[in-house]
Amino acid sequence: IAQSKSFFFFFFKDFRETFPDNLRAVSLEEFYRAINNCTPGFIRVEADEVTYPLHVILRYEIERGLFDDTLSVDDLPGIWNESMQKYLGITPPTDTLGVLQDSHWSGGAFGYFPSYTLGALYACQFYQKLVQEQPDTEKNIALGNFTPIKQWLNEKIHCHGKLYSPQELIKNVTGAHLNPDYFITYLKTKYSEIYQLS
């Protein structure tokens, strides 16, 4: 929601008032495109929503290799750089911009990275169900009326706390198991429009 054109339609005037020197000559369309710029980068936490999952896949594959003993710790810098080139078309010039950038591994948080992309998958599927049940969602966002969205989230998701597993919750709310097609369709639709792809 917070990277949608409808969201910026409502909040752009506030951004302009807050940053008048930077945004005085910028149109809403230019601002929306800049916020949703898609460019491969070295740092996961700075990645856009298109390339971010590739950062996660890279880390997942490396973690799996560490745990099934097909990779050793000594292999990490090289395999990291090879994977960055394979997935993002770039090679980090230093390990600081590569394998050493995340604090998760040094803190012992293995197996955690997929949760970030899983969250995006769940969000897209939930959002499609929301729009199906509340067809005026985009219009409400553009008007700054987030109450119907909040009420839907409270009723369908928040009130259940940890009562259901994620798999049970997505099935209960959307009537289907988690399906990556919602996320893929979202990215294709949004970025085809932004980059004027056919």
Side-chain angles (χ1 to χ4, degrees):
I1 290 173
Q3 286 186 266
S4 70
K5 191 177 284 188
S6 300
F7 182 87
F8 292 118
F9 182 84
F10 179 74
F11 283 105
F12 188 56
K13 65 182 182 312
D14 295 325
F15 291 136
R16 265 195 165 152
E17 288 171 10
T18 304
F19 305 102
D21 294 337
N22 302 87
L23 298 177
R24 184 177 294 114
V26 176
S27 71
L28 170 61
E29 187 66 28
E30 290 169 327
F31 186 74
Y32 170 70
R33 287 175 185 267
I35 291 293
N36 289 286
N37 183 42
C38 177
T39 306
F42 299 116
I43 306 298
R44 175 184 58 84
V45 296
E46 296 173 2
D48 57 81
E49 62 187 339
V50 175
T51 61
Y52 190 95
L54 300 174
H55 286 266
V56 170
I57 291 167
L58 176 153
R59 286 159 173 81
Y60 168 76
E61 290 179 347
I62 290 174
E63 287 180 346
R64 187 179 62 195
L66 288 172
F67 281 95
D68 70 13
D69 289 328
T70 57
L71 292 177
S72 72
V73 172
D74 291 340
D75 296 329
L76 291 182
I79 195 68
W80 182 283
N81 291 349
E82 289 172 21
S83 297
M84 285 291 285
Q85 185 61 46
K86 173 182 166 185
Y87 288 124
L88 294 161
I90 55 177
T91 302
T94 67
D95 288 341
T96 305
L97 292 173
V99 71
L100 297 177
Q101 68 180 270
D102 280 306
S103 61
H104 293 73
W105 288 343
S106 62
F110 286 88
Y112 186 78
F113 288 112
S115 65
Y116 294 125
T117 294
L118 284 169
L121 298 181
Y122 279 102
C124 282
Q125 192 162 334
F126 284 139
Y127 187 76
Q128 286 305 309
K129 188 64 174 179
L130 166 67
V131 170
Q132 180 185 348
E133 293 182 2
Q134 295 184 10
D136 289 339
T137 296
E138 291 293 321
K139 187 168 98 175
N140 281 329
I141 294 169
L143 295 171
N145 179 15
F146 299 101
T147 302
I149 296 168
K150 180 70 166 67
Q151 288 172 339
W152 187 90
L153 289 169
N154 287 346
E155 176 189 329
K156 303 287 183 174
I157 298 170
H158 300 156
C159 71
H160 301 297
K162 292 178 70 174
L163 184 63
Y164 301 112
S165 70
Q167 297 86 350
E168 291 170 326
L169 185 63
I170 195 85
K171 184 80 162 66
N172 293 346
V173 174
T174 69
H177 295 290
L178 184 63
N179 184 343
D181 290 344
Y182 290 100
F183 182 64
I184 293 166
T185 298
Y186 160 74
L187 292 178
K188 283 183 176 178
T189 302
K190 178 177 180 176
Y191 288 91
S192 290
E193 187 268 325
I194 288 173
Y195 285 99
Q196 300 174 348
L197 306 173
S198 55

